[in-house]
């Protein structure tokens, strides 16, 4: 049978009310019906007072009503006792049709993914399978969609259909295909509690013009019996699959050990999972993987770096969560992720859905102990490592108290009623920053909305923005902005002009981190704030930057030169400053004097003399450069060559015995040359000075925990060659390194809880290194076009950004989607 649990459609309204038919047995219980002994084909014992199952009534004078009840009881017993429901229904198909004096019968099951009814048992062999959408476009689809039984005398009578519903239509295409003429139709949806499992449809009453009220009663009871049987069969199949089958298959556990563990866990009055972890030392990840396969949902393990979903927890009682062993983990748009110990417990699922009626719920199986740990951490009872304790309950309570503002005030007036010194505001800002730090966030975007809309907070992780799980009530709009301005040392009264500042967070929240802050006035009289968490600690070593062998060797050779100029180019956020500091770390020795001018100083390292430029007072990059030249430098790093004067000074310094590093905002290495020449640089001086130009981008890398190896199709392999450039693929001997053979494997994203189901975790650089060779210097002096310089650079061995990215695809670090996102050619 179809997997009813995974494909069932949950209906929000009440289930169909089943009417009792005189003489029928009471409603069957919801608990599973035990199968009879033997092979499952033995007929069940009939009810007292009725003939043996499968035989006609013994009393020849029995009324038609009594005979109907006896036949129905016999069919119902067979359905409830069946081990294979689909097989028994095929055998009962004609018997059910005869019971209701119908020419044909169809029993549908629901395909919840496609939202269709699929025929599993039917009369007639003209069509192998019938699929009907759950919609008013068909009689059965309408009955399932509207959750009601339909009894129609003539399906071709449009007036009769319109009396039921103006949108109701009979799909005549089935009659045209089969040559069968449909007249009367009786359809009843099949439910178990609130779950739609299918529908039963009778066609053409043989002995009358329409189906009677007794037929209505009978088909409702039949649908009820089918619903219980469908659910019980699914549940029995689930129970037949051992929870720990994965552990048995991987030989982490034997059947004998499992039986003993079950017995010992009962004696200890603890869960079998807890016994396995504590006594048997089963690996927690393997245990969770086994449970995930059993419940057919992803698993989740307790981790401290999960941000607290404050808004999701506000209306939930902690004792209720602990008693029922579930907790919300996060919101992503309209999707809420729930950790639960038993994703098959329908009563728990129904209770959770009633609490989040308008959201799409995504369940994760977790150990009970882990769920309790999540609850303790979210409610502030469990302290995170290396972080000050924050009582989330008190923050939520204070925020909710702040909402008790008089309804007659205007939004702007409301927003002024909360002070930036409010304890809830102070705690909330600290909480957002600390959560961002734990989550490896690079930027925090605080986005107030005009009117009475909540303040939205978004965080950027590995280059992609996602919504913070808490939206801040609008009355805290001004207070949040003012609080961040105070922490940054900015003017809280100035709201019309952008401002820049920096937060030394150790003074406010305990964590030793720095944040660069930018405020920008936006539409509606509000201010956006973007906070960038600056890199802390030592710069990455050059050999950990993701360079290919050729690019690493070429770049290092340039960095070690005594004089010349090196440019790193790319858009904002592409890692230019990080690369420059890694290069400086490589040459940072006692005998080398290094000066840097930056705006702002994002990365600090011992041995460098670092200067923060102040354009507002006239201390810009050009003035800093002139000052450096009087301060006996060996190496100068300038944050950016923004203007002609700074660039000219940098080139002159590189020609007079200094090694100069800087950045440019350009798309590629060859374009950087034409940009500098367009700024008025002397082509001969620049050609003499340039050592190399490194263009770079950051691409998201596949999650190491869940990435999946696979053998690509020939078409996919050919696409990669085309993207790389077929001629260059052969010229660079890529066809020898990565030939298309059965052993060739690539990696693709799969998704796990460590990467938030994205399949990606972390970023790495892709690079384009243009070297200042003699031929390239000649091209610069003759002011050749960008295309000519690119051709020369490729002849000199340069790989374009996309080519370097495709090499990383073959190396298993990334996929083509992420490379295409940052590269054009």
């Amino acid at each position: 049978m179809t997997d009813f649990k995974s494909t069932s459609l949950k209906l929000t309204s009440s289930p169909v009310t089943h009417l009792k038919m005189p003489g029928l047995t009471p409603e069957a219980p919801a608990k599973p019906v035990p199968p009879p002994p033997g092979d499952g084909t033995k007929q069940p014992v009939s009810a007292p007072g009725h003939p043996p199952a499968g035989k006609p009534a013994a009393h020849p004078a029995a009324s038609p009503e009594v005979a109907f009840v006896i036949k129905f009881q016999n069919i119902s017993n067979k359905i409830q006792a069946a081990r294979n429901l689909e097989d028994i229904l095929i055998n009962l198909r004609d018997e059910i049709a005869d019971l209701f004096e119908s020419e044909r019968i169809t029993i549908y099951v629901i395909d919840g993914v496609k939202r269709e009814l699929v025929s599993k048992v039917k009369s007639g062999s003209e069509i192998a399978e019938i699929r009907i959408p759950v919609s008013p476009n068909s009689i059965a689809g309408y009955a399932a969609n509207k959750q009601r039984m339909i009894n129609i005398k003539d399906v071709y009578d449009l007036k009769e259909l319109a009396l039921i519903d103006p949108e109701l239509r009979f799909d005549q295409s089935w009659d045209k295909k089969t040559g069968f003429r449909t007249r009367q139709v009786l359809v009843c949806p099949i439910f178990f509690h609130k779950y739609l499992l299918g529908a039963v449809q009778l066609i053409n009453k043989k002995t009358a013009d329409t189906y009677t009220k007794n037929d209505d009663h009978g088909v409702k009871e039949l649908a009820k019996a089918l619903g219980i049987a469908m659910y019980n069969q699914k549940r029995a199949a689930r129970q037949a699959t051992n929870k720990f089958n994965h552990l048995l298959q991987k030989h982490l556990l034997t059947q004998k050990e499992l039986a003993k563990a079950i017995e010992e866990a009962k004696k200890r009055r603890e869960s079998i999972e807890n016994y396995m972890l504590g006594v048997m030392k089963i690996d927690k990840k393997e245990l969770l993987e086994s449970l995930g396969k059993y419940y057919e949902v992803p698993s989740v393990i307790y981790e401290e770096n999960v941000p607290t979903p404050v808004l999701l927890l506000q209306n939930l009682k902690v004792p209720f969560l602990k008693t029922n062993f579930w907790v919300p983990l996060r919101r992503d748009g309209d999707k809420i992720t729930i950790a639960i110990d038993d994703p098959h417990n329908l009563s728990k699922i129904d209770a959770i859905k009633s609490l989040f009626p308008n959201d799409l719920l995504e369940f994760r199986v977790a150990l009970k102990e882990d769920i309790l740990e999540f609850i303790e951490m979210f409610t502030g009872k469990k302290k995170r490592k290396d972080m000050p304790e924050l009582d989330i309950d008190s923050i939520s309570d204070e925020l909710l108290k702040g909402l008790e503002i008089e309804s007659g005030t205007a939004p702007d007036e409301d927003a002024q009623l909360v002070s930036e010194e409010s304890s809830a505001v102070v705690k909330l800002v600290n909480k957002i920053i600390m959560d961002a730090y734990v989550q490896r966030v690079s930027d925090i975007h605080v986005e107030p909305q005009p009117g009475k809309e909540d303040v939205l907070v978004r965080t950027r992780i590995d280059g992609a923005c996602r919504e913070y799980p808490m939206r801040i009530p609008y009355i805290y709009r001004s207070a949040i902005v003012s609080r961040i301005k105070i922490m940054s040392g900015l003017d809280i009264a100035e709201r019309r002009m952008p401002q820049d500042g920096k937060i030394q967070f150790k003074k406010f929240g305990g964590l030793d981190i720095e944040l660069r802050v930018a405020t920008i006035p936006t539409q509606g009289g509000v201010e956006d704030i973007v906070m960038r968490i600056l890199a802390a600690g030592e710069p990455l070593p050059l050999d950990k930057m993701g360079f290919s062998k050729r690019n690493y060797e070429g770049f290092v050779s340039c960095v070690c030169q005594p004089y010349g100029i090196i440019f790193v180019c790319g858009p904002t956020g592409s890692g230019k400053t990080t690369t420059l500091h890694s290069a400086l770390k490589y040459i940072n020795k006692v005998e080398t004097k290094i000066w840097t001018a930056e705006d702002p100083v994002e990365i600090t390292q011992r041995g460098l003399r670092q200067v923060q430029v102040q354009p507002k007072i006239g201390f810009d990059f050009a003035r800093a450069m002139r000052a450096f030249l009087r301060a006996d430098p060996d190496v100068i790093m300038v944050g950016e060559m923004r203007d002609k004067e700074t660039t000219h000074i940098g080139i002159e310094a590189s020609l007079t015995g200094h090694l100069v590093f800087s950045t440019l905002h350009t798309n590629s290495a060859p374009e950087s040359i034409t940009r500098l020449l367009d700024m008025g640089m002397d082509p001969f001086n620049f050609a003499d000075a340039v050592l190399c130009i490194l263009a770079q981008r950051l691409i998201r890398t596949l999650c190491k925990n869940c990435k999946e190896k696979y053998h690509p199709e020939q078409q996919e392999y050919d696409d990669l060659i085309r993207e790389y450039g077929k001629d260059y693929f052969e010229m660079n001997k890529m066809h020898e390194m990565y030939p298309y053979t059965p052993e060739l494997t690539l990696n693709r994203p799969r998704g796990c809880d460590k990467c938030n189901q994205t399949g990606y975790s972390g970023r790495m650089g892709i690079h384009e290194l243009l070297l200042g060779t003699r031929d390239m210097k000649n091209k610069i002096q003759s002011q050749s076009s960008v295309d000519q310089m690119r051709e020369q650079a490729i002849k000199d061995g340069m790989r374009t950004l996309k080519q370097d990215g495709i090499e990383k695809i073959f190396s298993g670090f990334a996929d083509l989607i992420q490379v295409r996102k940052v590269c054009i050619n």
Side-chain angles (χ1 to χ4, degrees), residues 611-659:
V611 173
Q612 167 84 52
V613 298
Q614 301 286 347
K616 292 180 181 178
I617 62 173
F619 183 37
D620 54 14
F621 285 120
R623 181 165 289 189
M625 287 279 287
R626 285 193 292 269
F628 291 166
L629 292 174
R630 296 191 295 270
D632 188 29
D634 293 306
V635 178
I636 297 172
M637 192 271 272
V638 184
E640 185 181 348
M641 295 287 189
R642 294 178 179 173
D643 51 59
K644 180 179 178 180
E645 184 181 6
T646 306
T647 309
H648 177 75
I649 296 171
I651 292 174
E652 290 296 327
S654 67
L655 292 172
T656 55
H658 304 96
L659 184 61

Side-chain angles (χ1 to χ4, degrees), residues 64-280:
E65 290 79 11
V66 173
F68 182 96
V69 170
I70 293 172
K71 290 180 180 178
F72 183 93
Q73 181 66 38
N74 182 33
I75 291 171
S76 180
N77 286 342
K78 291 179 181 178
I79 291 172
Q80 296 296 348
R83 287 190 175 182
N84 189 320
L85 186 58
E86 186 170 345
D87 288 346
I88 197 68
L89 286 177
I90 290 174
N91 295 331
L92 290 174
R93 176 183 58 200
D94 295 334
E95 195 173 336
I96 296 172
D98 290 339
L99 176 67
F100 290 97
E101 300 175 330
S102 299
E103 291 184 7
R104 292 196 173 184
I105 181 174
T106 305
I107 297 176
Y108 297 96
V109 297
I110 193 72
D111 181 345
V113 176
K114 296 183 178 180
R115 196 172 173 80
E116 292 178 339
L117 293 173
V118 183
S119 62
K120 283 297 176 182
V121 177
K122 66 179 184 63
S123 305
S125 59
E126 298 91 344
I127 298 175
E129 183 184 78
I130 300 173
R131 281 186 170 268
I132 297 173
V134 180
S135 70
N137 295 329
S138 65
I139 307 297
Y142 178 89
N145 188 45
K146 299 297 184 181
Q147 312 166 43
R148 54 178 288 196
M149 189 177 68
I150 304 296
N151 188 338
I152 300 175
K153 185 176 181 179
D154 184 0
V155 294
Y156 285 84
D157 187 342
L158 297 179
K159 291 183 179 179
E160 183 181 2
L161 298 181
L163 289 175
I164 298 173
D165 193 310
E167 295 183 8
L168 181 59
R169 296 290 181 271
F170 171 65
D171 187 355
Q172 301 178 16
S173 64
W174 298 107
D175 280 4
K176 293 177 181 178
K177 291 177 183 177
T178 62
F180 179 82
R181 175 62 163 82
T182 305
R183 297 187 305 277
Q184 304 94 1
V185 171
L186 176 61
V187 185
C188 185
I190 299 172
F191 287 89
F192 182 79
H193 293 316
K194 296 180 181 180
Y195 292 89
L196 174 64
L197 301 179
V200 56
Q201 175 178 265
L202 302 173
I203 298 176
N204 292 358
K205 182 82 171 177
K206 294 179 182 178
T207 58
D209 293 333
T210 186
Y211 287 100
T212 65
K213 289 186 177 180
N214 284 337
D215 293 325
D216 291 351
H217 292 308
V219 80
K220 283 183 178 179
E221 293 298 324
L222 177 64
K224 183 188 295 185
L226 288 171
I228 295 171
M230 287 177 176
Y231 175 76
N232 283 346
Q233 178 162 306
K234 176 60 186 172
R235 184 173 178 181
R238 289 281 189 187
Q239 292 173 338
T241 304
N242 195 297
K243 269 187 183 182
F244 310 107
N245 193 45
H246 171 74
L247 300 178
L248 296 170
Q249 289 177 348
K250 293 194 72 173
H251 306 293
L252 299 173
L253 197 66
T254 65
Q255 286 284 3
K256 187 175 181 180
E257 289 172 336
L258 177 60
K260 182 180 179 182
I262 294 173
E263 184 179 347
E264 289 297 320
K266 286 182 180 178
K267 290 180 182 178
R268 291 168 171 252
R269 295 186 178 181
E270 65 179 346
S271 68
I272 177 65
E273 294 87 356
N274 198 40
Y275 180 84
M276 287 181 173
L277 291 173
V279 178
M280 304 182 72

